[in-house]
C-alpha cells in the first residue's frame, strides 16, 4: 500500500509544503484535463485515479478540491463498482465537501456527485451520513446561489426516497422544518429551481400528510398551522403535480 492509500485509509500523512516542479506541473495538468475520458482511463488504472482524487479532495487549494469532486462524480458514473468498493471513503470526502467553509463550487460539485452516488447505491448503508447530508441540504435550500438551491432541492428530494424506516422520524422532522422553503420556492425566481422544488415537494408529500404516527398537529405545526394547512391543501387538491 502506497503513501496516498495509507493517508486516505486513516493513517494521515503530513502535507508537503513544496513539491518538485515537475511533479507540481504534472498534477496541475492532470486536474486541468480531468473529465474521465477514455484516454485518462488508459493513463491510470481506476484504483490509482481514485486515490489521487481522494487525496486532492483534501487539498488546501479550493480549485483542486472542486475538480476532485467533479472527478469522483465522473468516476461514479463510469465505474460505479469501484466507487461502491470505497463507498465509506467517498461519502466521507463528499460530506466534508458539502460543508466546505470557503468554496461554493466545492459544495455544489459535492451535491451533484452525491446525487449520482446515492442513485448508484440506492441510498443503502448510508449510516449517519444520512443525517449530515440531510441537514446541509436543508440549509442550502434557501441559499442565494441559484445553482446551490437547485442542487439542494434535487438532493433533498432524493433523500426522501431513501429515508426508509431507520430515518423516517428524523426526515419527517426535517421536512416539517422545511415547509417554509418548500412553499416559497414553488415560485422561485429561477424556473429550474421552482421545477426542482415541485419535484421535491411531491417526493416529500408522504411526510407532510396526516398520519397516525406523524400527525401534523405536532408542536412545530401548532406554531404555524396556517402554513401546514396550505401545504396539505395543495397536496390534497392536486395543485402540485
Amino acid at each position: 500500500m502506497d503513501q496516498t492509500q495509507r493517508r486516505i485509509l486513516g493513517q494521515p500523512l503530513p502535507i508537503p509544503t513544496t513539491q518538485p516542479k515537475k511533479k507540481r506541473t504534472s498534477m496541475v495538468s492532470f486536474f486541468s484535463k480531468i473529465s474521465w475520458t477514455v484516454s485518462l482511463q488508459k493513463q491510470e488504472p481506476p484504483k490509482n485515479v481514485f486515490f489521487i482524487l481522494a487525496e486532492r479532495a483534501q487539498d488546501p487549494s479550493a480549485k483542486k478540491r472542486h475538480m476532485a469532486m467533479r472527478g469522483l462524480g465522473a468516476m461514479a458514473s463510469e465505474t460505479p463498482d469501484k466507487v461502491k468498493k470505497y463507498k465509506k471513503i467517498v461519502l466521507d470526502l463528499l460530506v466534508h465537501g458539502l460543508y466546505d467553509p470557503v468554496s461554493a463550487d466545492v459544495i455544489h460539485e459535492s451535491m451533484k456527485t452525491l446525487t449520482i452516488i446515492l442513485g448508484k447505491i440506492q441510498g443503502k448503508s448510508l449510516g449517519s451520513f444520512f443525517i449530515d447530508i440531510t441537514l446541509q441540504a436543508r440549509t442550502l435550500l434557501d441559499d442565494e446561489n441559484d445553482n446551490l438551491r437547485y442542487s439542494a432541492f434535487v438532493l433533498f428530494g432524493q433523500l426522501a426516497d431513501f429515508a426508509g424506516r431507520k430515518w423516517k422520524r428524523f426526515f419527517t422532522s426535517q421536512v416539517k422544518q422545511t415547509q417554509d422553503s418548500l412553499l416559497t420556492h414553488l415560485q422561485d425566481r429561477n424556473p429550474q429551481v421552482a421545477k426542482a422544488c415541485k419535484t421535491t415537494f411531491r417526493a416529500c408529500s408522504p411526510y407532510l400528510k396526516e398520519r397516525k404516527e406523524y400527525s401534523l398537529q405536532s408542536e412545530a405545526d401548532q406554531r404555524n398551522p396556517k402554513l401546514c394547512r396550505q401545504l396539505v391543501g395543495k397536496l390534497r387538491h392536486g395543485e402540485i403535480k
Side-chain angles (χ1 to χ4, degrees), residues 30-167:
F30 171 78
F31 281 101
S32 67
K33 297 178 180 179
I34 187 167
S35 59
W36 201 249
T37 58
V38 175
S39 61
L40 176 60
Q41 295 182 54
K42 289 180 179 179
Q43 291 171 20
E44 291 282 356
K47 181 178 179 180
N48 291 353
V49 173
F50 170 76
F51 282 108
I52 291 172
L53 292 173
E55 183 179 31
R56 293 301 95 183
Q58 302 171 82
D59 196 276
S61 166
K63 182 176 181 181
K64 288 184 179 180
R65 294 198 304 277
H66 173 218
M67 299 186 79
M69 296 304 174
R70 179 179 296 177
L72 288 171
M75 192 172 190
S77 297
E78 297 296 329
T79 57
D81 291 341
K82 182 62 64 176
V83 172
K84 288 178 182 178
K85 181 178 179 180
Y86 300 108
K87 179 175 65 176
K88 289 185 178 180
I89 298 174
V90 174
L91 289 173
D92 186 58
L93 293 169
L94 292 174
V95 168
H96 275 83
L98 202 60
Y99 286 84
D100 194 278
V102 297
S103 175
D105 288 337
V106 173
I107 295 172
H108 183 221
E109 207 64 53
S110 297
M111 280 195 289
K112 289 167 61 179
T113 299
L114 275 168
T115 59
I116 296 172
I117 290 177
L118 292 183
K120 297 293 184 181
I121 66 176
Q122 289 298 296
K124 295 180 180 178
S125 303
L126 285 177
S128 61
F129 287 125
F130 185 90
I131 295 176
D132 297 328
I133 296 169
T134 300
L135 291 174
Q136 183 67 340
R138 183 171 71 81
T139 299
L140 294 168
L141 295 177
D142 294 313
D143 197 273
E144 294 182 359
N145 185 306
D146 288 7
N147 289 329
L148 291 182
R149 285 201 314 284
Y150 173 81
S151 293
F153 273 109
V154 172
L155 181 57
F156 198 80
Q158 192 178 37
L159 291 167
D161 293 331
F162 298 142
R165 286 187 177 183
K166 183 174 183 180
W167 302 114

Side-chain angles (χ1 to χ4, degrees), residues 223-237:
R223 290 198 300 267
N224 199 347
K226 183 178 179 181
L227 176 59
C228 295
R229 287 196 298 271
Q230 283 181 290
L231 290 170
V232 176
K234 286 178 178 292
L235 291 168
R236 286 177 173 172
H237 294 96

Side-chain angles (χ1 to χ4, degrees), residues 180-205:
D180 287 299
S181 298
L182 289 170
L183 194 59
T184 298
H185 293 292
L186 287 172
Q187 305 296 327
D188 194 277
R189 66 176 183 268
N190 185 307
Q192 292 302 313
V193 175
K195 184 177 180 180
C197 180
K198 289 180 181 179
T199 301
T200 297
F201 203 126
R202 289 195 297 267
C204 292
S205 62

